[in-house]
Amino acid sequence: MSDPKTEADVIVVSNRLPVDHDENAEGGWRRSPGGLVSALEPVLQKTGGAWVGWPGTAGLELDPFEFDGMALVPVTLSADDVELYYEGFSNDTIWPLYHDVISPPAYHREWWEAYVRVNERFARAAASVAAPGALVWVQDYQLQLVPRMLRELRPDVVIGYFHHIPFPAYGLYAQLPWRKQVLAGLLGADVIGFQRVQDAGNFTNAVRRQLGLETKAGAIRVTAEDGSVRTAVARAYPISIDTEAYDELARRPEVQARAKEIRESLGDPQTVLFGVDRLDYTKGIGHRLKAYGELLEENRLEVEDVTLVQVASPSRERVAAYMQLRDEIELTVGRINGDYDTVGHTAIRYLHHSYPREEMVALYLAADVMLVTALRDGMNLVAKEYVASRVDSRGVLVLSEFTGAADELSQAVKVNPHDIDGLKDAIMTAIDMQPAEQARRMRALRRRVRERDVADWSRRFLADLHAVRGDDA
Ligand code: GDG
């Protein structure tokens, strides 16, 4: 590790740095998995860029360091900050509010104060490493105030913000006691990106109604305190995955052998249904289980013929709503298995673990039907990963219309997960679908995720930031 240079021309700011602590890794850090990191790393490496974020351990104070050709700029969070800013305001106020109040958001002034304080710290860290006129790209709902704070510190830089989760309809957004401050925070950016056209529309609507600003086709006229006028643009940039990486893994003989082994270990049922989600109340896991349980109860499915594999990766385990969700899901799984399992067959193979990506791809390949039944989801990358992994053009994606992915993946079997009878019929349609029809749909889906991968997403966003700066195309 060496000291990075202190000025960067491209800067990414996100809650977490793209690395995890790992005592066994060289230098003590390992690159964290995920599409965002793989898309942005080459950009930062090429431009000598920097990434500003929290290293993931409370109280850890670190100087900037270099990792894989990027300058990493750590922001320190105390245990209190983690509890109030991250678990509190980010994950128990904004997250439920922006996901249509599926779980009731909690509004606490102390959490808000911590959110302001921590956002300021991120803004100052970004300001301190930005070269004159740098492009700064802020990521996600934990940092909605950073664009404006950064603009005040550094009026010379070009600021982008990307919102990974939904932006709610005005009637819900209006609940937020700090609704004006959050909108003003976001409007500090030159380009404000959302997953869906609908999210961008909800945002501009809130801006009009709360701040009385003029908006036209996503362009918002913002007047600063000194009277100067600028334009901020809100538009959709649907995020994607590293499609090539999934395709490549899925073609590996050892991954294909593992997929076969998984099916064998389940007793080679005719049909394997698969769900994989962070254990989060937005993902509709309970609705999925209800529909599946009723299909077994009505003998439309028999436990000898079908198994549902549900990976529920541990998430936000210190937030009360997540503890309660886990109890509910595990109670339901236990009931269904108790009612329908035989000595030799299980209705649901429930796994509360995280798996390496190779194993995920093997599971995708082993699954005849992929169930994505989110009640609200910014995009849902699992849907795209399933498609990218199906190099055999087989398998059926059942996809909730309340995901961002539904806008793009039109050949999936679409469902409204609240309509349990409709969901049951969709699962049966998927199970009964003929191979030729599966292949026809899967090929079209695969074309889409090949053409629009995560590199394409970051290129589009950064091109718009370059255009703001007046760089040549
Ligand atoms: C937010 C938005 C938006 C899950 N379990 C394991 C594992 N995963 C990976 C999946 C996928 C990712 O986590 C989950 O991404 P999603 O998009 O499905 O959902 P969120 O975590 O809620 O992400 C969402 C996203 O941001 C990007 O903008 O799409 O709407 O909510 O990549 O594969 N990966 C491995 N083992 C696991 O056990 N390796």
Side-chain angles (χ1 to χ4, degrees):
M1 276 195 298
S2 61
D3 268 355
K5 64 178 178 139
T6 45
E7 289 205 328
D9 189 47
V10 178
I11 296 155
V12 174
V13 189
S14 66
N15 175 61
R16 278 288 272 113
L17 280 174
V19 290
D20 294 313
H21 231 327
D22 181 353
E23 281 171 14
N24 302 320
E26 205 190 310
W29 297 97
R30 159 169 60 76
R31 187 172 174 276
S32 47
L36 190 65
V37 185
S38 56
L40 297 180
E41 193 178 63
V43 179
L44 295 186
Q45 285 165 342
K46 209 166 74 196
T47 56
W51 196 311
V52 176
W54 176 46
T57 307
L60 187 63
E61 289 185 30
L62 287 177
D63 288 331
F65 61 96
E66 186 147 339
F67 180 88
D68 266 6
M70 299 182 280
L72 301 189
V73 182
V75 174
T76 303
L77 296 187
S78 67
D80 263 5
D81 293 333
V82 174
E83 188 185 328
L84 307 174
Y85 143 82
Y86 181 65
E87 292 166 352
F89 198 79
S90 298
N91 289 337
D92 211 8
T93 303
I94 294 292
W95 181 270
L97 177 65
Y98 284 25
H99 286 89
D100 290 357
V101 192
I102 296 166
S103 166
Y107 302 115
H108 296 298
R109 284 162 287 186
E110 209 192 352
W111 291 1
W112 164 252
E113 283 154 18
Y115 187 76
V116 175
R117 186 172 72 229
V118 172
N119 270 245
E120 257 162 17
R121 206 174 299 153
F122 276 85
R124 275 200 303 273
S128 71
V129 291
L135 306 184
V136 184
W137 192 2
V138 181
Q139 307 287 327
D140 225 1
Y141 65 100
Q142 302 91 353
L143 303 176
Q144 294 173 100
L145 307 179
V146 169
R148 179 179 184 171
M149 291 169 168
L150 178 59
R151 181 169 294 280
E152 277 167 10
L153 293 165
R154 289 292 305 271
D156 60 303
V157 301
V158 173
I159 304 170
Y161 169 88
F162 185 75
H163 194 74
H164 290 254
I165 67 174
F167 196 91
Y170 180 73
L172 293 173
Y173 182 74
Q175 284 187 13
L176 186 66
W178 307 279
R179 58 198 184 185
K180 282 196 169 64
Q181 292 96 311
V182 168
L183 294 174
L186 292 167
L187 284 174
D190 298 288
V191 178
I192 307 158
F194 295 91
Q195 302 278 25
R196 301 178 97 160
V197 172
Q198 179 191 312
D199 299 313
N202 286 344
F203 172 73
T204 47
N205 192 17
V207 162
R208 265 196 309 277
R209 300 194 47 181
Q210 276 299 320
L211 305 179
L213 298 182
E214 245 178 77
T215 72
K216 197 172 169 195
I220 305 159
R221 272 168 65 89
V222 187
T223 311
E225 271 163 25
D226 66 2
S228 62
V229 177
R230 43 179 277 273
T231 303
V233 178
R235 53 172 292 200
Y237 301 82
I239 201 170
S240 192
I241 57 166
D242 186 350
T243 309
E244 183 61 37
Y246 282 87
D247 185 282
E248 189 269 320
L249 273 176
R251 289 180 198 278
R252 285 191 196 166
E254 67 273 21
V255 174
Q256 297 192 356
R258 176 64 191 143
K260 227 170 134 231
E261 194 179 279
I262 289 169
R263 290 190 71 105
E264 279 162 17
S265 66
L266 294 168
D268 257 329
Q270 276 167 27
T271 305
V272 175
L273 307 174
F274 184 38
V276 52
D277 316 80
R278 278 189 306 101
L279 187 43
D280 193 293
Y281 49 77
T282 60
K283 303 293 182 183
I285 303 169
H287 293 63
R288 187 181 312 164
L289 295 178
K290 186 166 180 58
Y292 181 59
E294 287 188 15
L295 288 170
L296 288 166
E297 188 186 345
E298 294 161 9
N299 299 317
R300 288 171 77 183
L301 291 177
E302 299 295 336
V303 74
E304 287 78 15
D305 303 332
V306 59
T307 298
L308 166 62
V309 177
Q310 176 65 53
V311 173
S313 38
S315 185
R316 304 178 190 170
E317 293 185 286
R318 283 158 40 123
V319 178
Y322 289 76
M323 297 177 197
Q324 195 189 331
L325 174 75
R326 182 173 176 194
D327 288 347
E328 283 167 18
I329 296 296
E330 294 183 356
L331 183 73
T332 308
V333 168
R335 285 218 174 119
I336 293 175
N337 279 343
D339 284 344
Y340 302 105
D341 277 10
T342 62
V343 172
H345 296 276
T346 188
I348 305 170
R349 180 61 50 83
Y350 171 79
L351 305 154
H352 184 247
H353 304 294
S354 279
Y355 290 95
R357 193 189 272 188
E358 288 74 9
E359 182 73 356
M360 296 280 289
V361 173
L363 283 159
Y364 288 141
L365 278 174
D368 301 292
V369 176
M370 183 76 215
L371 297 174
V372 175
T373 57
L375 305 176
R376 187 49 88 189
D377 214 332
M379 176 53 62
N380 195 288
L381 298 181
V382 163
K384 292 187 173 180
E385 290 166 5
Y386 179 64
V387 168
S389 302
R390 295 314 304 229
V391 290
D392 55 354
S393 294
R394 291 290 291 270
V396 184
L397 173 63
V398 173
L399 180 62
S400 163
E401 61 192 71
F402 300 110
T403 61
D407 282 1
E408 293 179 77
L409 303 181
S410 38
Q411 293 81 6
V413 175
K414 297 285 176 58
V415 286
N416 166 7
H418 296 282
D419 170 11
I420 299 296
D421 286 334
L423 180 52
K424 285 156 65 182
D425 290 345
I427 293 172
M428 294 311 296
T429 300
I431 290 175
D432 294 337
M433 194 180 286
Q434 295 303 310
E437 176 66 4
Q438 292 181 23
R440 191 185 66 73
R441 288 174 182 245
M442 190 53 80
R443 278 198 289 267
L445 292 168
R446 290 180 58 74
R447 214 171 300 128
R448 175 74 193 191
V449 295
R450 249 199 326 266
E451 282 164 8
R452 294 291 185 93
D453 66 2
V454 72
D456 175 72
W457 168 81
S458 67
R459 253 194 316 274
R460 279 167 195 265
F461 197 102
L462 287 165
D464 285 354
L465 290 186
H466 279 291
V468 171
R469 192 162 72 177
D471 299 340
D472 290 343

